[in-house]
Amino acid sequence: MTVRATSSPTPVDFDAVFDQHYADLVRYCRRLTGESDAAEDIAQESVCRLFGHEIRAGPADIRAWLFKTATNLARDRYRTTTNRRRLLEVHPVQPSASEAPDRALEREERRAGARAALETMAPRDREMLLMRYSGFSYKEIAEALGVSSSSVGTLLSRAERRFADAVTGLEVGA
Amino acid sequence: MMHVNEGLLLALRDGESVTEEALSHVEMCAVCSSGLEEVSARAALIREMLEEEVPAVDLEAAKAAVRARLDRSRTRSRVPFIVSSVRRAAAILLVAAGAVSAFQAPSVRSWLSERFGDSGATGPGAGTAPRQSEELQSVGIAARPGLVIALTGLDAGHRVALVFEVRDEVEVSAAEGTRFLIADARIDASDVVGPVVIRVPVGAPALTITANGRIMFTGTDAEYDVDSSGVQADGGWIFRAPDA
């Protein structure tokens, strides 16, 4: 049995949360859902949950908490939305004016391939991969996804292989 | 030493802590060094694949949108999602009739504060309430889908408080003497002493709380089904345990 003392809360500043975490959170949500609108919605809802209970103090690691909440919200949305747009149907990002069209096309094809590959993965594999490539430590990933820290390396390895296999499979099938 | 597994190679690649033995082995072993290069190349490829051009985020617009959402959520009374309207009616009637006068406090926290320090508490469960000088035991577990908190051996009417707050993990507290058992996605509390306080992170995945085998609560802070004994207060719920 673990007996632990309550950790001291950390002050939460509304503007600081946005300045420090919001853009990364939207990026993560966009990778997770493949949809820009959904990503903004989930990111905003996550921040709302942080402040929604009029609590003047927050978790020790606000970034991890926000990403974990966003992951849960994305899962719920994935489960409940019946007419979810497929990832491949996401409107492509328009190339910038300074970018050569062929290079922009190649980059967009690569992104579409990545989105399609992510779509084929199990939710936990996808979340693990995206959290790692959003800069989370193994400990943070373990806490967010409810797995042991010692198993993250092995699970992440499997997720990476599945992603790579899915990308290859899609390229072969194209 | 045998070759290190790929999970360990990833940990090494990602700057996580690994044993000195594993590190030395990878440095000396051609197979493992090659493996490390391979997983590093794979990481570079994945990073490139995942490179995402996110449209510029308008922070001010996002702040305004969140403030508007917060204003909306604070001005409207929260309507719980309760599968059974009969249960909802029962809960409302309980409050209206004042049948649970001890629950009239507007806040779960104030109830907790009062209960845990109040020697004059009355009603089932209150007689065993821990005083401020008594030790509370708390067990914590990461919030995860399908988490079950099972409380057994409670007297009928024993109080169980559920609090949603911004925190990192689910925590169950009761007075010393309560027996806790933690499994992968389950906390069992038996021989419970004093009121039980369950603290759940806002935004956590759905969980289920049972008392003496009956489901008291199942769902999240935003969408849930509650037992008819549940009384909603600011910040959470307070339940009474059924007969064992």
Side-chain angles (χ1 to χ4, degrees), chain A residues 22-105:
Chain A
Y22 189 75
D24 285 346
L25 189 62
V26 171
R27 187 176 295 113
Y28 170 75
C29 292
R30 190 170 191 280
R31 285 170 173 165
L32 199 58
T33 64
E35 301 175 40
S36 295
D37 290 346
E40 284 262 13
D41 188 43
I42 290 170
Q44 288 178 12
E45 181 60 24
S46 301
V47 178
C48 272
R49 300 261 177 126
L50 184 65
F51 293 99
H53 287 244
E54 299 195 21
I55 290 167
R56 298 290 177 226
D61 188 341
I62 290 171
R63 179 169 170 267
W65 189 92
L66 284 170
F67 277 66
K68 184 162 63 176
T69 300
T71 302
N72 291 332
L73 290 170
R75 276 184 199 157
D76 290 346
R77 178 181 289 255
Y78 186 83
R79 273 196 294 266
T80 57
T81 305
T82 53
N83 59 349
R84 181 172 180 268
R85 284 184 296 171
R86 301 289 297 178
L87 295 177
L88 283 171
E89 294 169 359
V90 169
H91 300 301
V93 176
Q94 296 301 316
S96 62
S98 59
E99 191 172 33
D102 56 341
R103 191 170 172 187
L105 181 64

Side-chain angles (χ1 to χ4, degrees), chain A residues 7 32 88 132 142 165:
Chain A
S7 57
L32 199 58
L88 283 171
R132 175 59 210 149
D165 289 347

Side-chain angles (χ1 to χ4, degrees), chain A residues 1-4 146, chain B residues 137-144 147-151 169-173 178-190:
Chain A
M1 181 175 66
T2 306
V3 179
R4 72 181 85 238
Chain B
Q137 292 181 148
S138 297
V139 297
I141 189 170
R144 64 194 64 177
L147 178 65
V148 173
I149 299 171
L151 313 167
E169 60 178 13
V170 175
E171 184 185 79
V172 181
S173 303
T178 303
R179 295 194 305 168
F180 289 108
L181 187 64
I182 302 179
D184 185 39
R186 187 180 174 91
I187 296 177
D188 283 282
S190 55

Side-chain angles (χ1 to χ4, degrees), chain A residues 2 30 41 138 157 160-161, chain B residues 6 13-14 52 69 138:
Chain A
T2 306
R30 190 170 191 280
D41 188 43
Y138 284 18
S157 167
E160 287 187 355
R161 281 183 177 278
Chain B
E6 195 168 299
R13 177 197 72 185
D14 294 337
E52 192 75 74
R69 283 192 192 204
S138 297

Side-chain angles (χ1 to χ4, degrees), chain B residues 116 128-130 134-137 173-178 180 192-195:
Chain B
F116 277 71
T128 52
E134 290 182 315
E135 284 292 319
L136 279 180
Q137 292 181 148
S173 303
E176 199 168 18
T178 303
F180 289 108
V192 176
V193 180

